[in-house]
Amino acid sequence: MRVSTFGNYQSALLDLMGSQLRSQEAQQRVSTQKNATDLVGFGRSSESLTALKSAQSRIGGFIDAGKAAAARLSSQNLALGRVADGAAGAREAIAGALASGRLDGLMLELQGQFQISLDGLNAKHQGRYLFAGGASAEAPVTPRTLAELSALVDPDDGFVNDALVQVSRLDEGTTLETGFLADDLGADLFRIFHEIQRRHETTPITGPLDDATRDFLTARLARLDDAREAITDRAARNGSIQNRVDDVLKAQEDQRDALEALVSERTDADLAKALTDLELSQVAMQASAQVINQLRQVSLLNLLR
């Protein structure tokens, strides 16, 4: 067989280039901790990886939507508590006045409780009004004082929210009404405030308690209890929805973790093997380089010279 210098050099260079390529691939696996950086590198498993990645993206979107709904529900819980506190405070103020037989300061106290309820109904979340329905850029309750409320012929005119209730999609087959409307929450309470302020403007509610005023305020006590109970029921419903959203979120996060584990099994590199391949490829590069260096000394030209 004929052995040529050119053939030896070519063989050694191919070995060197192959070693460099293997070293680069191993180095990439070590640095990225992945078997490949694109779907082409995963070969036949690329189709299943595409499906898993799509499922991951879909689950991630639902988780983000669920977290947004949970944050909104948490804000609503605080706001509903404020409205209920205003109703309870108004009831306590009237009950205290009836017990003491004096009405001094009662209207001032009711103004404060009205303001507490108003703050709850006009509460915001991320810059949008919670109970305004679809018109979340505008405050759902317009009267700011009992006098402004009394100026309305019908207290319901003070609510300017629309009828669009907030709906959240938790997954592909589950949607929940997660919002409430200001008029549904505060109409009964504000009607009581309206009646008391109108009475005060015609017959001042101050000084000693007379029988007519006692009967008038006593009748409002029971209605205040009903209004507070109705708001508390809404708060309980809000809490029930919160629990449902939390359960769905937990299930989705578990599903996301399972998908991440499946993807990791197919994409994560075996670091121990990658490091071993890197060391072996570097040894092979050194050997190929030494062979090329030795070939310089065994050229036929050197013998002829």
PDB file of all heavy atoms in Angstrom, residues 266-278:
ATOM      1  N   ARG A 266     -36.133  15.687  29.216  1.00  0.00           N
ATOM      2  CA  ARG A 266     -35.798  15.608  27.801  1.00  0.00           C
ATOM      3  C   ARG A 266     -34.750  16.637  27.372  1.00  0.00           C
ATOM      4  O   ARG A 266     -34.100  16.465  26.342  1.00  0.00           O
ATOM      5  CB  ARG A 266     -37.067  15.795  26.958  1.00  0.00           C
ATOM      6  CG  ARG A 266     -38.030  14.622  27.061  1.00  0.00           C
ATOM      7  CD  ARG A 266     -39.420  15.000  26.589  1.00  0.00           C
ATOM      8  NE  ARG A 266     -40.311  13.844  26.499  1.00  0.00           N
ATOM      9  CZ  ARG A 266     -40.887  13.274  27.546  1.00  0.00           C
ATOM     10  NH1 ARG A 266     -40.676  13.745  28.774  1.00  0.00           N
ATOM     11  NH2 ARG A 266     -41.677  12.217  27.382  1.00  0.00           N
ATOM     12  N   THR A 267     -34.603  17.690  28.127  1.00  0.00           N
ATOM     13  CA  THR A 267     -33.725  18.782  27.682  1.00  0.00           C
ATOM     14  C   THR A 267     -32.480  18.973  28.544  1.00  0.00           C
ATOM     15  O   THR A 267     -31.463  19.434  28.039  1.00  0.00           O
ATOM     16  CB  THR A 267     -34.502  20.113  27.657  1.00  0.00           C
ATOM     17  OG1 THR A 267     -34.971  20.421  28.988  1.00  0.00           O
ATOM     18  CG2 THR A 267     -35.690  20.034  26.722  1.00  0.00           C
ATOM     19  N   ASP A 268     -32.547  18.647  29.824  1.00  0.00           N
ATOM     20  CA  ASP A 268     -31.407  18.907  30.706  1.00  0.00           C
ATOM     21  C   ASP A 268     -30.266  17.941  30.410  1.00  0.00           C
ATOM     22  O   ASP A 268     -30.479  16.730  30.231  1.00  0.00           O
ATOM     23  CB  ASP A 268     -31.819  18.778  32.179  1.00  0.00           C
ATOM     24  CG  ASP A 268     -32.686  19.940  32.622  1.00  0.00           C
ATOM     25  OD1 ASP A 268     -32.921  20.849  31.808  1.00  0.00           O
ATOM     26  OD2 ASP A 268     -33.139  19.932  33.783  1.00  0.00           O
ATOM     27  N   ALA A 269     -29.085  18.484  30.366  1.00  0.00           N
ATOM     28  CA  ALA A 269     -27.903  17.669  30.075  1.00  0.00           C
ATOM     29  C   ALA A 269     -27.426  16.936  31.330  1.00  0.00           C
ATOM     30  O   ALA A 269     -27.613  17.420  32.460  1.00  0.00           O
ATOM     31  CB  ALA A 269     -26.777  18.548  29.546  1.00  0.00           C
ATOM     32  N   ASP A 270     -26.814  15.748  31.109  1.00  0.00           N
ATOM     33  CA  ASP A 270     -26.139  15.016  32.181  1.00  0.00           C
ATOM     34  C   ASP A 270     -24.767  15.667  32.361  1.00  0.00           C
ATOM     35  O   ASP A 270     -23.849  15.449  31.561  1.00  0.00           O
ATOM     36  CB  ASP A 270     -26.012  13.544  31.791  1.00  0.00           C
ATOM     37  CG  ASP A 270     -25.409  12.705  32.912  1.00  0.00           C
ATOM     38  OD1 ASP A 270     -24.797  13.287  33.832  1.00  0.00           O
ATOM     39  OD2 ASP A 270     -25.545  11.478  32.863  1.00  0.00           O
ATOM     40  N   LEU A 271     -24.636  16.508  33.408  1.00  0.00           N
ATOM     41  CA  LEU A 271     -23.411  17.288  33.575  1.00  0.00           C
ATOM     42  C   LEU A 271     -22.178  16.411  33.764  1.00  0.00           C
ATOM     43  O   LEU A 271     -21.088  16.746  33.284  1.00  0.00           O
ATOM     44  CB  LEU A 271     -23.573  18.247  34.754  1.00  0.00           C
ATOM     45  CG  LEU A 271     -24.562  19.407  34.556  1.00  0.00           C
ATOM     46  CD1 LEU A 271     -24.585  20.305  35.774  1.00  0.00           C
ATOM     47  CD2 LEU A 271     -24.208  20.208  33.309  1.00  0.00           C
ATOM     48  N   ALA A 272     -22.341  15.301  34.471  1.00  0.00           N
ATOM     49  CA  ALA A 272     -21.188  14.417  34.681  1.00  0.00           C
ATOM     50  C   ALA A 272     -20.693  13.868  33.337  1.00  0.00           C
ATOM     51  O   ALA A 272     -19.480  13.851  33.058  1.00  0.00           O
ATOM     52  CB  ALA A 272     -21.570  13.281  35.621  1.00  0.00           C
ATOM     53  N   LYS A 273     -21.642  13.440  32.494  1.00  0.00           N
ATOM     54  CA  LYS A 273     -21.254  12.921  31.178  1.00  0.00           C
ATOM     55  C   LYS A 273     -20.692  14.030  30.290  1.00  0.00           C
ATOM     56  O   LYS A 273     -19.729  13.822  29.547  1.00  0.00           O
ATOM     57  CB  LYS A 273     -22.470  12.277  30.505  1.00  0.00           C
ATOM     58  CG  LYS A 273     -22.151  11.601  29.165  1.00  0.00           C
ATOM     59  CD  LYS A 273     -23.381  10.923  28.610  1.00  0.00           C
ATOM     60  CE  LYS A 273     -23.046  10.167  27.322  1.00  0.00           C
ATOM     61  NZ  LYS A 273     -22.441  11.003  26.302  1.00  0.00           N
ATOM     62  N   ALA A 274     -21.300  15.221  30.388  1.00  0.00           N
ATOM     63  CA  ALA A 274     -20.819  16.338  29.574  1.00  0.00           C
ATOM     64  C   ALA A 274     -19.392  16.714  29.945  1.00  0.00           C
ATOM     65  O   ALA A 274     -18.547  16.979  29.078  1.00  0.00           O
ATOM     66  CB  ALA A 274     -21.745  17.536  29.735  1.00  0.00           C
ATOM     67  N   LEU A 275     -19.082  16.730  31.246  1.00  0.00           N
ATOM     68  CA  LEU A 275     -17.724  17.049  31.685  1.00  0.00           C
ATOM     69  C   LEU A 275     -16.737  15.976  31.244  1.00  0.00           C
ATOM     70  O   LEU A 275     -15.598  16.271  30.839  1.00  0.00           O
ATOM     71  CB  LEU A 275     -17.700  17.207  33.213  1.00  0.00           C
ATOM     72  CG  LEU A 275     -18.365  18.477  33.759  1.00  0.00           C
ATOM     73  CD1 LEU A 275     -18.485  18.410  35.273  1.00  0.00           C
ATOM     74  CD2 LEU A 275     -17.568  19.711  33.350  1.00  0.00           C
ATOM     75  N   THR A 276     -17.160  14.713  31.316  1.00  0.00           N
ATOM     76  CA  THR A 276     -16.291  13.620  30.870  1.00  0.00           C
ATOM     77  C   THR A 276     -16.012  13.732  29.376  1.00  0.00           C
ATOM     78  O   THR A 276     -14.869  13.579  28.922  1.00  0.00           O
ATOM     79  CB  THR A 276     -16.953  12.262  31.177  1.00  0.00           C
ATOM     80  OG1 THR A 276     -17.170  12.153  32.586  1.00  0.00           O
ATOM     81  CG2 THR A 276     -16.060  11.120  30.718  1.00  0.00           C
ATOM     82  N   ASP A 277     -17.096  14.018  28.592  1.00  0.00           N
ATOM     83  CA  ASP A 277     -16.913  14.180  27.141  1.00  0.00           C
ATOM     84  C   ASP A 277     -15.990  15.357  26.836  1.00  0.00           C
ATOM     85  O   ASP A 277     -15.190  15.295  25.886  1.00  0.00           O
ATOM     86  CB  ASP A 277     -18.271  14.397  26.470  1.00  0.00           C
ATOM     87  CG  ASP A 277     -19.143  13.149  26.505  1.00  0.00           C
ATOM     88  OD1 ASP A 277     -18.611  12.057  26.763  1.00  0.00           O
ATOM     89  OD2 ASP A 277     -20.377  13.284  26.300  1.00  0.00           O
ATOM     90  N   LEU A 278     -16.109  16.419  27.633  1.00  0.00           N
ATOM     91  CA  LEU A 278     -15.256  17.582  27.415  1.00  0.00           C
ATOM     92  C   LEU A 278     -13.789  17.231  27.656  1.00  0.00           C
ATOM     93  O   LEU A 278     -12.904  17.598  26.858  1.00  0.00           O
ATOM     94  CB  LEU A 278     -15.695  18.724  28.329  1.00  0.00           C
ATOM     95  CG  LEU A 278     -14.886  20.017  28.246  1.00  0.00           C
ATOM     96  CD1 LEU A 278     -14.959  20.603  26.834  1.00  0.00           C
ATOM     97  CD2 LEU A 278     -15.395  21.034  29.273  1.00  0.00           C
TER      98      LEU A 278
END
